[in-house]
Amino acid sequence: MDKEKIKLLLVDDDEDDYIMTRDLLEDIKDTKFDVQWIATFEKAVESLKNNEDDVCLFDYRLDGHTGVELIHKAVELNIKAPIIILTGQTEREIDIEAMKAGAADYLIKGSIEPLILERTIRYAIEHKKAEDKIINQKKELESTNAELKVLYRISAIISRYIDK
């Protein structure tokens, strides 16, 4: 049986944290992660422009920037992939700030286990798919509604001529 393949962008300026996260991802069964590791904020912004990833993991602290700043850049670039913040920080305010900026989830590095990481990634991807489906359905309904309004106007005009 082929493993599911997920293209993952990992942005972390600490190589040891990258290796730890990569090892956690390798421990996940039934899924093959194609991991692209980027260590700087600027290179991450350049990579995000390609909009090719299935999921993104951003460290909160990035060479003088924050993962939340990178989330804002991702939103500006209309990135499709869900974003998960990884951090050593346990402050609730950072969690809330990340979620308000658009993060799908927030994980504390020292407490991540393969099962938790896998669940978080899968949940984020599935949630994003469901969200995109709802957005597309809403657009279809708005389009249908606009068409019905036009048909109603046309039928009202025709009705006035028939009634004369």
Side-chain angles (χ1 to χ4, degrees), residues 30 42 53 70 114 122:
D30 301 324
E42 289 77 18
D53 305 297
L70 193 52
R122 286 195 190 290

Side-chain angles (χ1 to χ4, degrees), residues 58-69:
F58 295 168
D59 185 18
Y60 180 74
R61 299 214 186 273
L62 293 168
D63 62 330
H65 295 278
T66 68
V68 173
E69 289 176 70

Side-chain angles (χ1 to χ4, degrees), residues 19-35:
I19 292 168
M20 178 192 71
T21 305
R22 182 199 64 203
D23 291 348
L24 287 168
L25 291 166
E26 287 174 359
D27 287 344
I28 296 172
K29 309 287 188 243
D30 301 324
T31 305
K32 167 85 171 103
F33 290 94
D34 178 10
V35 180

Side-chain angles (χ1 to χ4, degrees), residues 11-139:
V11 182
D12 197 319
D13 59 356
D14 185 322
E15 186 173 6
D16 290 338
D17 286 343
Y18 154 67
I19 292 168
M20 178 192 71
T21 305
R22 182 199 64 203
D23 291 348
L24 287 168
L25 291 166
E26 287 174 359
D27 287 344
I28 296 172
K29 309 287 188 243
D30 301 324
T31 305
K32 167 85 171 103
F33 290 94
D34 178 10
V35 180
Q36 178 188 10
W37 173 48
I38 295 178
T40 68
F41 182 88
E42 289 77 18
K43 287 182 181 174
V45 171
E46 287 305 310
S47 178
L48 287 170
K49 290 178 182 176
N50 296 328
N51 208 3
E52 298 174 336
D53 305 297
D54 297 315
V55 66
C56 301
L57 304 178
F58 295 168
D59 185 18
Y60 180 74
R61 299 214 186 273
L62 293 168
D63 62 330
H65 295 278
T66 68
V68 173
E69 289 176 70
L70 193 52
I71 292 171
H72 288 297
K73 285 288 188 188
V75 169
E76 283 175 27
L77 294 168
N78 197 28
I79 298 309
K80 305 278 186 252
I83 300 166
I84 300 165
I85 290 287
L86 302 177
T87 184
Q89 310 295 313
T90 58
E91 298 154 19
R92 186 170 187 270
E93 294 77 25
I94 294 172
D95 181 0
I96 293 169
E97 180 186 18
M99 300 303 256
K100 283 182 179 178
D105 212 337
Y106 173 95
L107 295 173
I108 299 169
K109 289 181 182 180
S111 64
I112 301 173
E113 296 177 14
L115 238 61
I116 292 170
L117 185 57
E118 177 185 24
R119 184 213 54 86
T120 302
I121 290 170
R122 286 195 190 290
Y123 177 81
I125 290 171
E126 290 305 316
H127 185 267
K128 183 65 173 169
K129 285 179 185 175
E131 186 180 87
D132 289 346
K133 186 176 180 179
I134 289 169
I135 289 169
N136 288 335
Q137 288 174 339
K138 183 180 177 191
K139 287 178 183 176

